[in-house]
Amino acid sequence: MTTTNDSLMARRQAAVAGGVGQIHPIFTARAENATVWDVEGREFIDFAGGIAVLNTGHLHPKVKAAVAAQLDNFSHTCFMVLGYESYIQVCEKLNQLVPGDFAKKTALFTSGSEAVENAVKVARAYTKRAGVIAFTSGYHGRTMAALALTGKVAPYSKGMGLMSANVFRAEFPCELHGVSDDDAMASIERIFKNDAEPSDIAAIILEPVQGEGGFYAASPAFMQRLRALCDREGIMLIADEVQTGAGRTGTFFAMEQMGVAADITTFAKSIAGGFPLSGITGRAQVMDTVGPGGLGGTYGGNPLACAAALAVIEVFEEEKLLDRANAIGERIKSALNVMQIEHAQIADVRGLGAMIAIELMEDGKPAPHYCVQVLSDARDRGLILLSCGTYANVLRILVPLTAPDAQIDVGLGILKASFDAVLKS
């Protein structure tokens, strides 16, 4: 029997839990750099990058070789039982790469949610406080404590009841939707007035550029005001760089562009080029508050993932991928700005580095139906895209930073054709 996307989808529906979504009805057979081939042999340009996991592309030769070499030695010991040098090397590298002119230490985990939850654990242990302030439309993961921080109910926590207490929601600044930096800071002061004293708050957590929330970037001025507030009140500032980290925004971490450093930074996704690795890096005295055994996990800092991460960092240096991220971002935004002139429904084109978003609106209101149609039309033409945003009306581009210009231009040509077909005047 011939394997097709439809046959696999039928098997999926019978075998896989319904809560596990799938954006495109396509099943991958193989992939290389920014190209994916499905089980039917069809070729697609990948502008999704596994949701910002493949900044160095599918199966980068250096990453592939590093993992293969590690697999010849051992695949797992659990670092908490028998250590290995690559875990230490990754921590040393991240201590250097994470912004902040202070001594740092790092702990490694497996998923972004784990990183977020452990960052909160460390902040609570250090401050001896329980409360956390998160922001509207923020995304911090799907595990229980991370869900409490995530600022969107459907689909992430719909039907699951109320999440953990001690989380308070502030407004994330977004000029396009009428929330200024002053409004956002005022919302924090309202929390202090109505819900919890500053002395009850362990941490303020936010993404420097919101991911699932729509690729809205905090301004450096806002981040500096947050830093000053945290310093004044003894609150830990946590930068969730799971999606923005590993070079996506044109600096290795987006906070490098904000003029201040966080106390604790989370990372995951592209740090290991497709292998599951996450972690937190923070002030050494803060990180050491938690005693032995309080941080970790059976698979945290897996040796294959550590080998991949070390290779990813080398690739960034050797191929100058931070410069490449900025060049790609300018190339894509330039093309999109032309498309915006031609289609009034394109309300905004934005992004730091190669973290690019296109917001679709009609008559001043979010237009998620256009996102659905563009995603489908582009897929039919051979381009894989993602949507995001509180109102599901934002298209996001997360093309591998290793993609050649010619292929990016072909992808942009497909996107233009889809806009021309869907966004009719």
Short mmCIF file of all heavy atoms in Angstrom, two decimals, residues 344-390:
data_model
loop_
_atom_site.label_atom_id
_atom_site.label_comp_id
_atom_site.label_asym_id
_atom_site.label_seq_id
_atom_site.Cartn_x
_atom_site.Cartn_y
_atom_site.Cartn_z
N ALA A 344 -4.14 46.45 1.26
CA ALA A 344 -4.49 47.22 2.46
C ALA A 344 -4.68 46.33 3.68
O ALA A 344 -4.58 46.80 4.82
CB ALA A 344 -5.77 48.01 2.20
N GLN A 345 -4.96 45.05 3.46
CA GLN A 345 -5.17 44.14 4.59
C GLN A 345 -3.88 43.86 5.37
O GLN A 345 -3.93 43.35 6.48
CB GLN A 345 -5.77 42.81 4.11
CG GLN A 345 -7.15 42.95 3.46
CD GLN A 345 -7.05 43.07 1.94
OE1 GLN A 345 -6.03 43.57 1.42
NE2 GLN A 345 -8.07 42.63 1.24
N ILE A 346 -2.73 44.15 4.78
CA ILE A 346 -1.46 44.00 5.49
C ILE A 346 -1.28 45.25 6.36
O ILE A 346 -0.82 46.29 5.89
CB ILE A 346 -0.28 43.81 4.53
CG1 ILE A 346 -0.50 42.55 3.67
CG2 ILE A 346 1.03 43.70 5.30
CD1 ILE A 346 0.56 42.32 2.62
N ALA A 347 -1.67 45.14 7.62
CA ALA A 347 -1.68 46.30 8.51
C ALA A 347 -0.30 46.64 9.04
O ALA A 347 -0.03 47.80 9.36
CB ALA A 347 -2.63 46.03 9.68
N ASP A 348 0.58 45.62 9.14
CA ASP A 348 1.88 45.88 9.74
C ASP A 348 2.88 44.82 9.30
O ASP A 348 2.53 43.63 9.18
CB ASP A 348 1.77 45.89 11.27
CG ASP A 348 3.00 46.46 11.95
OD1 ASP A 348 3.66 47.34 11.36
OD2 ASP A 348 3.31 46.04 13.07
N VAL A 349 4.09 45.26 9.05
CA VAL A 349 5.23 44.37 8.80
C VAL A 349 6.28 44.74 9.83
O VAL A 349 6.66 45.91 9.95
CB VAL A 349 5.80 44.56 7.38
CG1 VAL A 349 7.09 43.76 7.22
CG2 VAL A 349 4.77 44.14 6.33
N ARG A 350 6.74 43.77 10.62
CA ARG A 350 7.63 44.10 11.73
C ARG A 350 8.57 42.94 12.02
O ARG A 350 8.39 41.82 11.54
CB ARG A 350 6.82 44.44 12.98
CG ARG A 350 5.91 43.31 13.44
CD ARG A 350 5.15 43.67 14.72
NE ARG A 350 4.22 42.61 15.08
CZ ARG A 350 2.95 42.56 14.67
NH1 ARG A 350 2.46 43.52 13.91
NH2 ARG A 350 2.18 41.55 15.03
N GLY A 351 9.56 43.23 12.86
CA GLY A 351 10.43 42.17 13.32
C GLY A 351 11.83 42.65 13.62
O GLY A 351 12.33 43.60 13.01
N LEU A 352 12.47 41.99 14.58
CA LEU A 352 13.88 42.19 14.86
C LEU A 352 14.66 41.09 14.15
O LEU A 352 14.30 39.91 14.23
CB LEU A 352 14.17 42.11 16.36
CG LEU A 352 13.59 43.21 17.26
CD1 LEU A 352 14.06 42.99 18.69
CD2 LEU A 352 13.99 44.59 16.78
N GLY A 353 15.73 41.47 13.45
CA GLY A 353 16.51 40.46 12.73
C GLY A 353 15.63 39.70 11.77
O GLY A 353 14.88 40.28 10.98
N ALA A 354 15.73 38.37 11.85
CA ALA A 354 14.95 37.51 10.94
C ALA A 354 13.73 36.92 11.62
O ALA A 354 13.24 35.85 11.25
CB ALA A 354 15.84 36.40 10.40
N MET A 355 13.21 37.61 12.63
CA MET A 355 11.98 37.20 13.31
C MET A 355 10.87 38.12 12.80
O MET A 355 10.60 39.18 13.38
CB MET A 355 12.15 37.31 14.83
CG MET A 355 11.04 36.72 15.65
SD MET A 355 11.48 36.71 17.41
CE MET A 355 9.99 35.99 18.11
N ILE A 356 10.24 37.73 11.69
CA ILE A 356 9.40 38.65 10.91
C ILE A 356 7.92 38.28 11.04
O ILE A 356 7.54 37.10 10.97
CB ILE A 356 9.79 38.60 9.41
CG1 ILE A 356 11.30 38.83 9.24
CG2 ILE A 356 8.99 39.64 8.62
CD1 ILE A 356 11.79 40.15 9.76
N ALA A 357 7.08 39.30 11.17
CA ALA A 357 5.63 39.11 11.27
C ALA A 357 4.90 40.01 10.29
O ALA A 357 5.35 41.11 9.97
CB ALA A 357 5.15 39.40 12.68
N ILE A 358 3.75 39.51 9.82
CA ILE A 358 2.86 40.24 8.93
C ILE A 358 1.48 40.20 9.57
O ILE A 358 0.89 39.12 9.70
CB ILE A 358 2.78 39.61 7.53
CG1 ILE A 358 4.18 39.38 6.96
CG2 ILE A 358 1.93 40.43 6.59
CD1 ILE A 358 4.35 38.04 6.27
N GLU A 359 0.96 41.35 10.01
CA GLU A 359 -0.35 41.36 10.66
C GLU A 359 -1.43 41.73 9.66
O GLU A 359 -1.33 42.75 8.96
CB GLU A 359 -0.36 42.34 11.84
CG GLU A 359 -1.68 42.36 12.57
CD GLU A 359 -1.53 42.56 14.08
OE1 GLU A 359 -0.39 42.71 14.55
OE2 GLU A 359 -2.56 42.58 14.77
N LEU A 360 -2.47 40.90 9.59
CA LEU A 360 -3.56 41.08 8.65
C LEU A 360 -4.80 41.59 9.37
O LEU A 360 -5.25 41.01 10.37
CB LEU A 360 -3.88 39.77 7.95
CG LEU A 360 -2.70 39.13 7.17
CD1 LEU A 360 -3.14 37.82 6.52
CD2 LEU A 360 -2.15 40.09 6.13
N MET A 361 -5.34 42.69 8.87
CA MET A 361 -6.53 43.29 9.45
C MET A 361 -7.46 43.76 8.33
O MET A 361 -7.02 43.95 7.19
CB MET A 361 -6.15 44.47 10.36
CG MET A 361 -5.23 44.09 11.51
SD MET A 361 -4.78 45.47 12.58
CE MET A 361 -6.28 45.65 13.54
N GLU A 362 -8.71 43.94 8.68
CA GLU A 362 -9.69 44.47 7.72
C GLU A 362 -10.65 45.38 8.46
O GLU A 362 -11.20 44.99 9.50
CB GLU A 362 -10.45 43.32 7.05
CG GLU A 362 -11.30 43.76 5.87
CD GLU A 362 -11.81 42.58 5.06
OE1 GLU A 362 -12.35 41.64 5.67
OE2 GLU A 362 -11.66 42.60 3.82
N ASP A 363 -10.82 46.58 7.95
CA ASP A 363 -11.67 47.58 8.60
C ASP A 363 -11.25 47.81 10.05
O ASP A 363 -12.08 47.98 10.94
CB ASP A 363 -13.15 47.15 8.54
CG ASP A 363 -13.66 47.01 7.12
OD1 ASP A 363 -13.22 47.80 6.26
OD2 ASP A 363 -14.47 46.10 6.87
N GLY A 364 -9.93 47.79 10.28
CA GLY A 364 -9.41 48.07 11.61
C GLY A 364 -9.52 46.94 12.60
O GLY A 364 -9.20 47.11 13.78
N LYS A 365 -9.95 45.76 12.14
CA LYS A 365 -10.12 44.62 13.04
C LYS A 365 -9.25 43.44 12.58
O LYS A 365 -8.99 43.29 11.38
CB LYS A 365 -11.60 44.19 13.07
CG LYS A 365 -12.54 45.26 13.61
CD LYS A 365 -13.97 44.79 13.58
CE LYS A 365 -14.93 45.86 14.10
NZ LYS A 365 -16.33 45.42 14.04
N PRO A 366 -8.81 42.61 13.53
CA PRO A 366 -8.02 41.43 13.15
C PRO A 366 -8.77 40.56 12.15
O PRO A 366 -9.98 40.39 12.24
CB PRO A 366 -7.81 40.69 14.48
CG PRO A 366 -7.94 41.76 15.52
CD PRO A 366 -8.98 42.72 14.99
N ALA A 367 -8.02 40.01 11.18
CA ALA A 367 -8.64 39.20 10.11
C ALA A 367 -7.99 37.82 10.06
O ALA A 367 -7.21 37.52 9.15
CB ALA A 367 -8.49 39.92 8.77
N PRO A 368 -8.31 36.96 11.03
CA PRO A 368 -7.68 35.63 11.07
C PRO A 368 -8.04 34.75 9.88
O PRO A 368 -7.26 33.87 9.51
CB PRO A 368 -8.20 35.04 12.38
CG PRO A 368 -9.45 35.79 12.69
CD PRO A 368 -9.21 37.17 12.18
N HIS A 369 -9.20 34.99 9.28
CA HIS A 369 -9.61 34.15 8.13
C HIS A 369 -8.64 34.31 6.97
O HIS A 369 -8.41 33.35 6.22
CB HIS A 369 -11.03 34.50 7.69
CG HIS A 369 -11.24 35.94 7.31
ND1 HIS A 369 -11.28 36.95 8.24
CD2 HIS A 369 -11.41 36.53 6.10
CE1 HIS A 369 -11.48 38.10 7.63
NE2 HIS A 369 -11.56 37.89 6.33
N TYR A 370 -8.05 35.48 6.82
CA TYR A 370 -7.05 35.66 5.76
C TYR A 370 -5.79 34.84 6.04
O TYR A 370 -5.17 34.30 5.13
CB TYR A 370 -6.69 37.14 5.61
CG TYR A 370 -7.74 37.98 4.91
CD1 TYR A 370 -8.08 39.23 5.39
CD2 TYR A 370 -8.38 37.50 3.76
CE1 TYR A 370 -9.05 40.02 4.75
CE2 TYR A 370 -9.34 38.28 3.12
CZ TYR A 370 -9.68 39.52 3.61
OH TYR A 370 -10.63 40.29 2.97
N CYS A 371 -5.41 34.75 7.33
CA CYS A 371 -4.25 33.93 7.68
C CYS A 371 -4.48 32.47 7.28
O CYS A 371 -3.60 31.83 6.70
CB CYS A 371 -3.97 34.00 9.18
SG CYS A 371 -2.83 35.31 9.64
N VAL A 372 -5.64 31.97 7.60
CA VAL A 372 -5.97 30.57 7.26
C VAL A 372 -5.88 30.35 5.76
O VAL A 372 -5.29 29.37 5.28
CB VAL A 372 -7.39 30.21 7.77
CG1 VAL A 372 -7.79 28.82 7.28
CG2 VAL A 372 -7.43 30.27 9.30
N GLN A 373 -6.43 31.28 5.00
CA GLN A 373 -6.44 31.14 3.55
C GLN A 373 -5.04 31.26 2.95
O GLN A 373 -4.68 30.51 2.03
CB GLN A 373 -7.37 32.18 2.94
CG GLN A 373 -8.85 31.99 3.29
CD GLN A 373 -9.71 33.16 2.84
OE1 GLN A 373 -9.56 33.67 1.73
NE2 GLN A 373 -10.60 33.61 3.71
N VAL A 374 -4.25 32.20 3.46
CA VAL A 374 -2.89 32.38 2.93
C VAL A 374 -2.03 31.16 3.25
O VAL A 374 -1.27 30.67 2.39
CB VAL A 374 -2.25 33.66 3.48
CG1 VAL A 374 -0.77 33.73 3.12
CG2 VAL A 374 -2.96 34.90 2.93
N LEU A 375 -2.13 30.64 4.47
CA LEU A 375 -1.37 29.44 4.84
C LEU A 375 -1.69 28.28 3.90
O LEU A 375 -0.79 27.58 3.43
CB LEU A 375 -1.67 29.03 6.28
CG LEU A 375 -0.58 29.34 7.31
CD1 LEU A 375 -0.39 30.83 7.47
CD2 LEU A 375 -0.93 28.71 8.66
N SER A 376 -2.96 28.10 3.62
CA SER A 376 -3.39 26.99 2.75
C SER A 376 -2.94 27.21 1.31
O SER A 376 -2.41 26.30 0.65
CB SER A 376 -4.91 26.85 2.82
OG SER A 376 -5.36 25.84 1.95
N ASP A 377 -3.13 28.43 0.82
CA ASP A 377 -2.76 28.72 -0.57
C ASP A 377 -1.25 28.59 -0.77
O ASP A 377 -0.78 28.02 -1.75
CB ASP A 377 -3.24 30.12 -0.95
CG ASP A 377 -3.03 30.44 -2.42
OD1 ASP A 377 -3.93 30.13 -3.22
OD2 ASP A 377 -1.95 30.97 -2.76
N ALA A 378 -0.49 29.12 0.18
CA ALA A 378 0.97 29.06 0.08
C ALA A 378 1.45 27.61 0.13
O ALA A 378 2.38 27.22 -0.59
CB ALA A 378 1.62 29.88 1.20
N ARG A 379 0.84 26.83 0.99
CA ARG A 379 1.21 25.40 1.06
C ARG A 379 0.97 24.71 -0.27
O ARG A 379 1.80 23.93 -0.75
CB ARG A 379 0.41 24.72 2.17
CG ARG A 379 0.71 23.23 2.31
CD ARG A 379 -0.08 22.62 3.44
NE ARG A 379 -1.51 22.62 3.20
CZ ARG A 379 -2.42 23.20 3.98
NH1 ARG A 379 -2.06 23.87 5.05
NH2 ARG A 379 -3.71 23.12 3.69
N ASP A 380 -0.15 25.00 -0.89
CA ASP A 380 -0.45 24.40 -2.20
C ASP A 380 0.58 24.80 -3.25
O ASP A 380 0.83 24.06 -4.21
CB ASP A 380 -1.85 24.82 -2.67
CG ASP A 380 -2.96 24.18 -1.85
OD1 ASP A 380 -2.67 23.20 -1.13
OD2 ASP A 380 -4.11 24.68 -1.91
N ARG A 381 1.20 25.95 -3.05
CA ARG A 381 2.22 26.44 -4.00
C ARG A 381 3.64 26.02 -3.59
O ARG A 381 4.60 26.34 -4.29
CB ARG A 381 2.15 27.97 -4.08
CG ARG A 381 0.82 28.51 -4.60
CD ARG A 381 0.80 30.03 -4.50
NE ARG A 381 -0.53 30.59 -4.76
CZ ARG A 381 -0.96 30.99 -5.95
NH1 ARG A 381 -0.15 30.92 -7.00
NH2 ARG A 381 -2.19 31.48 -6.10
N GLY A 382 3.77 25.34 -2.41
CA GLY A 382 5.07 24.83 -2.01
C GLY A 382 5.80 25.61 -0.95
O GLY A 382 7.02 25.50 -0.83
N LEU A 383 5.07 26.38 -0.13
CA LEU A 383 5.69 27.18 0.93
C LEU A 383 5.01 26.88 2.26
O LEU A 383 3.79 26.92 2.36
CB LEU A 383 5.56 28.67 0.62
CG LEU A 383 6.10 29.64 1.68
CD1 LEU A 383 7.63 29.53 1.80
CD2 LEU A 383 5.70 31.09 1.35
N ILE A 384 5.82 26.58 3.28
CA ILE A 384 5.30 26.30 4.62
C ILE A 384 5.43 27.55 5.48
O ILE A 384 6.54 28.08 5.68
CB ILE A 384 6.05 25.13 5.27
CG1 ILE A 384 5.91 23.87 4.42
CG2 ILE A 384 5.54 24.88 6.69
CD1 ILE A 384 4.49 23.40 4.20
N LEU A 385 4.30 28.02 6.00
CA LEU A 385 4.24 29.20 6.87
C LEU A 385 3.57 28.85 8.19
O LEU A 385 2.95 27.78 8.32
CB LEU A 385 3.44 30.31 6.19
CG LEU A 385 4.06 31.02 4.98
CD1 LEU A 385 2.99 31.81 4.24
CD2 LEU A 385 5.19 31.94 5.43
N LEU A 386 3.66 29.77 9.14
CA LEU A 386 2.99 29.65 10.43
C LEU A 386 2.19 30.91 10.69
O LEU A 386 2.50 31.98 10.19
CB LEU A 386 4.00 29.48 11.57
CG LEU A 386 4.85 28.21 11.60
CD1 LEU A 386 5.91 28.34 12.68
CD2 LEU A 386 3.99 26.99 11.84
N SER A 387 1.17 30.77 11.53
CA SER A 387 0.45 31.94 12.02
C SER A 387 0.66 32.05 13.52
O SER A 387 1.18 31.13 14.16
CB SER A 387 -1.05 31.83 11.70
OG SER A 387 -1.61 30.69 12.35
N CYS A 388 0.26 33.17 14.09
CA CYS A 388 0.34 33.37 15.53
C CYS A 388 -0.51 34.57 15.88
O CYS A 388 -1.25 35.09 15.05
CB CYS A 388 1.80 33.56 15.99
SG CYS A 388 2.61 35.05 15.34
N GLY A 389 -0.40 35.03 17.12
CA GLY A 389 -1.13 36.23 17.54
C GLY A 389 -2.32 35.91 18.41
O GLY A 389 -2.96 34.86 18.27
N THR A 390 -2.63 36.82 19.30
CA THR A 390 -3.79 36.67 20.17
C THR A 390 -5.06 36.42 19.37
O THR A 390 -5.94 35.65 19.79
CB THR A 390 -3.96 37.93 21.04
OG1 THR A 390 -2.78 38.12 21.82
CG2 THR A 390 -5.16 37.81 21.97
#
